[in-house]
């Protein structure tokens, strides 16, 4: 005598044929069919091989470059076009107090962002001899972002408005 239900069910199904149902599908004794069967998640989304250390390292470097760009583009733009950005943020009919508050707030935001960029640059210089290079990639992305945010056209306008000659730009 079979002691488990699974053994008895297997013995009964071995002696019985599948039942024919409308739709030409075979249904076994306990009512399972393939009508609404979906593929397993493993078939739909196979597990990818884990990334190697080099792949993760390169991805982190690229991510830091992109994050540096995203971080410093608005900072560079706001620093070079300070009063235009203040006028935009304060609104069309802003009072003198609102304009002053906007100038103070934007100035503090630029100072904080510049201070954080200084810290990242300092850490990048400390880590120059090491292998990981993460602060350096963030600093390079930030420097590129600041240059892109300031924009060559804005820089040339600033130079022409202030009468700075190319010789005046040199530090020596």
């Amino acid at each position: 005598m079979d002691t488990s239900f699974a053994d008895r069910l297997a013995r009964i199904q071995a002696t019985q044929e599948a039942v024919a149902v409308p739709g030409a599908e075979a249904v076994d004794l306990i009512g399972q069919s393939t009508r609404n069967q979906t593929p397993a998640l493993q078939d739909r989304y196979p597990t990818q091989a884990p990334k190697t250390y080099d792949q993760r390292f390169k991805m982190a470097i690229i991510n830091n470059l992109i994050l540096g760009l995203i971080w410093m583009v608005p900072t560079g733009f706001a620093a070079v076009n300070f009063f235009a950005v203040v006028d935009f943020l304060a609104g069309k009919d802003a009072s003198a107090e609102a304009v002053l508050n906007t100038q103070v707030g934007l100035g503090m935001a630029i100072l904080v962002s510049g201070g954080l960029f200084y810290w990242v640059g300092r850490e990048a210089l400390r880590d120059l001899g090491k292998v990981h290079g993460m602060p350096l990639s963030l600093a390079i992305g930030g420097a590129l972002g600041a240059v892109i945010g300031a924009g060559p056209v804005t820089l040339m306008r600033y130079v022409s408005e202030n009468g700075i000659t190319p010789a005046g730009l040199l530090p020596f």
Side-chain angles (χ1 to χ4, degrees), residues 60-72 116-117 119-121 123-124 132-146:
I61 295 288
I62 298 298
N63 286 343
N64 279 341
L65 285 170
I66 292 169
L67 285 174
L69 282 169
I70 292 170
W71 167 32
M72 288 302 286
L116 289 173
F117 182 70
W119 177 74
V120 167
E123 291 298 317
H132 58 82
M134 299 306 159
L136 184 61
S137 62
L138 187 60
I140 290 171
L144 291 175

Side-chain angles (χ1 to χ4, degrees), residues 27-151:
V27 177
D28 62 10
L29 191 61
I30 56 173
Q32 294 178 337
S33 73
T34 59
R35 178 179 297 174
N36 295 325
Q37 185 176 7
T38 58
L41 285 178
Q42 184 63 26
D43 296 337
R44 281 191 189 176
Y45 308 107
T47 305
Q48 296 178 352
K51 292 185 175 16
T52 64
Y53 177 79
D54 289 336
Q55 290 172 329
R56 288 182 302 181
F57 178 76
K58 289 174 184 173
M59 186 185 312
I61 295 288
I62 298 298
N63 286 343
N64 279 341
L65 285 170
I66 292 169
L67 285 174
L69 282 169
I70 292 170
W71 167 32
M72 288 302 286
V73 164
T75 302
F77 182 79
V80 173
N81 300 308
F82 184 78
F83 294 108
V85 173
V86 166
D87 290 341
F88 174 76
L89 291 175
K92 186 176 181 181
D93 298 325
S95 65
E97 184 181 0
V99 171
L100 177 65
N101 290 339
T102 306
Q103 287 176 346
V104 169
L106 184 62
M108 290 302 294
I110 291 171
L111 283 175
V112 167
S113 183
L116 289 173
F117 182 70
Y118 168 74
W119 177 74
V120 167
R122 194 180 70 211
E123 291 298 317
L125 290 177
R126 283 184 185 170
D127 290 346
L128 275 180
K130 297 184 178 134
V131 178
H132 58 82
M134 299 306 159
L136 184 61
S137 62
L138 187 60
I140 290 171
L144 291 175
V147 169
I148 291 170

